Amino acid sequence: GLQEVITYSLIDRRLAKDFVLDNQPVGILNPLSKEQEVLRPALTPGLLKTIVTNLNQKQAFINIFEIAKSFLGSADQPREDLVLGVALCGTKSWLLKQGVVKDEAGLLHLKGILEAIFTRLGIKEYNFTLAGDNRETAVYLRREKIGAMMKIGSNILDNMEIKNKEVFVAEVSLDKILVYADLAKKFTGLPRYPGIFRDISLILKEGVSVDAILTAIKEAGRPMLRE
């Protein structure tokens, strides 16, 4: 359900610094302009510029993705990574008999998109871990970090002149994801008996994560529990 975009691999150095933590961005010897000084260290800057363009065109809901290379490391030894970037912004509306239903973009939408990708690629051992500052959620396959999803900070939005909007972005390494992909399909026979559904309410401490709850339920429910 996302719209594909293709952005420039050369970006403004000032914009790149917001997304480079360990190294200086890989610079160009003879840039054509200040907007094309360095190779992008991430896809997020280009996705944000695309969101700005769409907001200026009065788009209420923006859901875009890009598959492209990011460039990290030093200028002498740059490293190219094939990356999937997803960006969401705004509110989607549906007109139903009961009236207008609105759904505002958020981190849970990004999580659902990544879960759908992992499921279709046959990847089961994945999890999402909240970082210490509560702004970034790391994405792991088994025990390897393959990317992150986050809510873009207000300082970056102000620099991009994005007003009164929240933007949510995910970036994951496709090079790492494809290592774990299992595209072999197996047929599972239809169940002989109808399923049994239960609606369970739990009272928990605030620090308990949903992942811990689901893990405990799945372990206790073997082998009968399907989902």
Side-chain angles (χ1 to χ4, degrees):
L2 303 174
Q3 305 292 322
E4 184 175 16
V5 299
I6 300 174
T7 65
Y8 291 113
S9 56
L10 297 173
I11 62 173
D12 189 326
R13 183 181 297 275
R14 291 177 300 174
L15 184 59
K17 286 183 178 180
D18 290 331
F19 302 94
V20 178
L21 299 178
D22 301 325
N23 302 307
Q24 291 293 320
V26 180
I28 304 300
L29 290 178
N30 297 302
L32 295 176
S33 67
K34 286 188 175 182
E35 287 74 28
Q36 298 178 329
E37 287 183 306
V38 298
L39 290 166
R40 60 185 172 203
L43 302 190
T44 298
L47 294 175
L48 288 177
K49 293 184 74 173
T50 304
I51 285 177
V52 171
T53 300
N54 280 269
L55 290 175
N56 290 339
Q57 298 300 319
K58 308 301 180 183
Q59 296 297 312
F61 181 69
I62 304 160
N63 55 338
I64 55 177
F65 81 96
E66 182 174 16
I67 294 174
K69 295 286 185 70
S70 65
F71 304 88
L72 297 171
S74 64
D76 297 330
Q77 292 182 323
R79 186 181 78 251
E80 297 182 23
D81 289 331
L82 185 63
V83 178
L84 165 66
V86 179
L88 305 176
C89 177
T91 303
K92 193 172 185 178
S93 301
W94 292 273
L95 182 59
L96 304 177
K97 291 181 179 180
Q98 300 88 339
V100 177
V101 177
K102 295 186 178 181
D103 187 20
E104 190 170 354
L107 283 177
L108 288 179
H109 292 85
L110 288 178
K111 181 173 179 283
I113 290 168
L114 294 180
E115 287 178 333
I117 292 172
F118 295 152
T119 300
R120 293 185 182 187
L121 292 177
I123 299 172
K124 298 180 179 179
E125 297 181 38
Y126 60 84
N127 62 74
F128 302 86
T129 303
L130 193 64
D133 58 3
N134 291 336
R135 282 186 50 202
E136 179 178 311
T137 300
V139 183
Y140 287 87
L141 296 186
R142 297 180 184 175
R143 295 186 178 181
E144 183 179 12
K145 183 179 178 181
I146 56 98
M149 55 186 193
M150 70 188 75
K151 176 183 175 182
I152 300 299
S154 58
N155 58 325
I156 297 177
L157 295 181
D158 289 341
N159 292 337
M160 301 289 296
E161 296 187 356
I162 298 177
K163 306 295 184 182
N164 304 318
K165 294 286 185 180
E166 293 183 337
V167 179
F168 302 88
V169 174
E171 281 202 39
V172 291
S173 169
L174 284 182
D175 289 325
K176 295 179 180 179
I177 288 176
L178 295 177
V179 171
Y180 297 101
D182 181 8
L183 300 180
K185 303 294 182 182
K186 294 182 180 180
F187 173 75
T188 302
L190 297 175
R192 298 175 61 185
Y193 306 102
I196 299 173
F197 297 89
R198 290 287 184 268
D199 185 0
I200 303 173
S201 298
L202 303 171
I203 299 176
L204 300 161
K205 292 182 179 179
E206 188 173 349
V208 179
S209 68
V210 173
D211 184 60
I213 300 169
L214 294 177
T215 299
I217 292 175
K218 290 175 182 177
E219 290 179 352
R222 293 175 181 169
M224 301 296 290
L225 180 64
R226 290 295 183 92
E227 59 179 325

